[in-house]
Amino acid sequence: MSALVTVTENLWSDLDVEAIADAPLGPLTWYGAGGHAEVLIAPRTIEALRTLMQRCRSNDIQVRVLGSGANLLVTDEGVGGVVVRLNHPAFQKADWLGDGTSTTRIGAGADLMKLVQESARRGLGGLSQLAGIPATVGGAVRMNAGGSFGDTAQSVHSIEMLTIDGEDRTIPAAELDFGYRQCALPVGIVVAAHFDLVPGNPEEIRKHVKEVFDYKKSTQPMADRSAGCMFKNPIDPATGRRESAGRLIDLAGMKGQSIGGAFVSERHGNFVGLREGGTANDILALAFAVQQRVLDHSGIRLDREVVVWSKRCENADKRRSEVP
Ligand code: FAD
Ligand code: EPU
């Protein structure tokens, strides 16, 4: 156990939040594995979240934010500090081209897959490239989720967030400097995103949603317990272009390999699945073995895309005062 401040009920007891001490995080992630959070807090209002962040900051308590847990591996020993979850209605609200503005404001806790469907239903284009990606809006922004059909960045107008100090900030997309699976988000929690959605032909939009979704379904093990692609696609030094990490893993003969309950998918080499009873340690051990094998086979080093929460990096994270 690290020498971190222990979180006590004084932190939240007078706030409009739902709090669970020693909360299992595994069931809140797609892997369904990993340990507990010292305390899991779901604020019901933005004011409660703001005050919580300010108190955490002044008491030197680390804050993490959980989306839908689709790109997240929580290590078996769990994490200290506060884990925030934006699953109350205040953080899931949608204002479709509201108040005479031209953008659509969506709460960061809203479900991206439902949002893609609903915008298609309304005949609003701009999100169909994200069909089939499991995420909250906040998680999709943070990861710049996407793929060969496009990414989140291409329709983000701006975001609203609370910084690590609990200060409100609105940041235009241009300042977020979106790149491949990354953005320059200041440390803190995204509370809403504004999207530029363009009215179009609903049938055409629905057709595109289906095309993107069908491609994912036919090439990826969507029903396995995983966190999507384990590694980012690396730049191949020979071509200067990004190469599919899945293809490199496939060529290195790693498909079907397993350690404990973790296995490399036969369908897509970059998906590390987990069988019932498997642990976060199994996943980490297999990811390491895959990385080594690809390096030996192709000379290319794979970097992880999946975010790992562990106690081990707590002090380092705290020094940088980051919400990882
Ligand atoms: P989480 O996994 O909960 O968190 C990921 C990171 O985002 C963490 O660092 C977390 O702290 C941070 N975060 C979450 N919410 C906020 C917030 N409100 N403010 C600030 N930071 C926040 N990804 C792709 O890009 N393309 C794909 O095609 C794709 N396919 C997938 C298919 C499957 C079956 C699965 C399981 C995953 C797939 N992924 C894919 C990965 C995942 O869907 C994305 O990375 C997604 O953006 C994760 O969002 P989330 O809400 O689940 O975030
Ligand atoms: N390929 C293989 N073997 C494999 C996997 C892929 O040979 O095991 C080949 C495919 O046949 C294809 C090429 O590699 O010729 C590219 O494959 P794919 O279209 O599946 O794309 P990818 O680069 O492997 C990326 C994203 C996915 C996203 C898809 C589709 C990354 C790390 N992955 O995969 O995103 O869904 O494009 O848009 O960028 C994620 O990030 O979690 C994720 C799933």
Side-chain angles (χ1 to χ4, degrees):
M1 184 61 202
S2 64
L4 291 176
V5 179
T6 303
V7 185
T8 67
E9 237 182 288
N10 295 341
L11 189 76
W12 72 80
S13 55
D14 60 335
L15 299 180
D16 191 7
V17 300
E18 202 181 315
I20 305 171
D22 197 25
L25 290 176
L28 303 180
T29 69
W30 276 64
Y31 264 130
H36 291 209
E38 189 172 355
V39 58
L40 175 69
I41 298 189
R44 290 194 187 83
T45 63
I46 180 93
E47 294 75 24
L49 177 59
R50 191 180 295 118
T51 309
L52 178 72
M53 303 254 321
Q54 288 163 352
R55 285 182 190 172
C56 286
R57 184 62 158 160
S58 50
N59 288 288
D60 211 15
I61 291 167
Q62 186 168 11
V63 180
R64 293 176 167 87
V65 55
L66 174 69
S68 69
N71 199 50
L72 186 65
L73 177 62
V74 180
T75 51
D76 295 316
E77 79 267 20
V79 293
V82 168
V83 172
V84 168
R85 193 169 175 229
L86 303 178
N87 59 325
H88 277 288
F91 298 99
Q92 297 186 328
K93 216 169 138 263
D95 294 314
W96 296 91
L97 303 175
D99 306 331
T101 61
S102 60
T103 63
T104 291
R105 180 191 186 275
I106 311 283
D111 181 287
L112 183 73
M113 291 217 244
K114 287 188 191 151
L115 178 65
V116 169
Q117 294 298 336
E118 179 59 15
S119 65
R121 197 187 67 75
R122 289 169 178 264
L124 292 170
L127 295 174
S128 46
Q129 72 279 10
L130 305 177
I133 300 180
T136 57
V137 163
V141 168
R142 160 74 169 75
M143 299 306 303
N144 189 16
S148 41
F149 295 90
D151 57 23
T152 308
Q154 69 191 59
S155 52
V156 172
H157 170 273
S158 55
I159 58 123
E160 295 170 28
M161 70 175 299
L162 285 172
T163 66
I164 190 83
D165 298 308
E167 282 164 11
D168 295 84
R169 276 191 72 184
T170 297
I171 307 178
E175 280 177 31
L176 289 171
D177 200 15
F178 281 108
Y180 171 69
R181 297 295 191 276
Q182 63 175 34
C183 68
L185 190 69
V187 179
I189 296 182
V190 176
V191 293
H194 294 252
F195 292 98
D196 282 316
L197 302 184
V198 192
N201 179 332
E203 202 154 308
E204 288 294 315
I205 296 168
R206 271 200 295 268
K207 213 169 105 193
H208 191 231
V209 166
K210 186 170 169 354
E211 184 195 344
V212 175
F213 185 70
D214 286 350
Y215 181 76
K216 271 186 82 74
K217 224 172 49 174
S218 65
T219 55
Q220 299 174 7
M222 298 295 287
D224 284 353
R225 287 163 57 188
S226 80
C229 286
M230 175 58 71
F231 300 101
K232 293 181 188 170
N233 285 346
I235 292 177
D236 182 343
T239 63
R241 287 199 304 269
R242 287 203 186 271
E243 163 68 286
S244 163
R247 200 172 96 85
L248 293 173
I249 294 165
D250 192 353
L251 291 173
M254 286 302 276
K255 276 186 168 178
Q257 295 292 311
S258 65
I259 293 183
F263 62 94
V264 178
S265 167
E266 293 281 3
R267 183 172 280 198
H268 195 294
N270 204 0
F271 278 63
V272 172
L274 189 68
R275 293 190 193 90
E276 200 59 46
T279 64
N281 259 340
D282 295 342
I283 298 164
L284 288 171
L286 183 57
F288 183 70
V290 167
Q291 221 172 13
Q292 288 301 310
R293 180 76 73 90
V294 170
L295 187 58
D296 291 347
H297 187 264
S298 64
I300 295 179
R301 198 194 133 76
L302 298 179
D303 289 327
R304 217 179 41 227
E305 176 183 319
V306 171
V307 174
V308 176
W309 282 359
S310 73
K311 278 194 172 149
R312 219 156 18 111
C313 63
E314 252 160 26
N315 288 320
D317 287 332
K318 251 168 61 72
R319 247 178 276 127
R320 297 199 316 268
S321 297
E322 282 195 3
V323 180

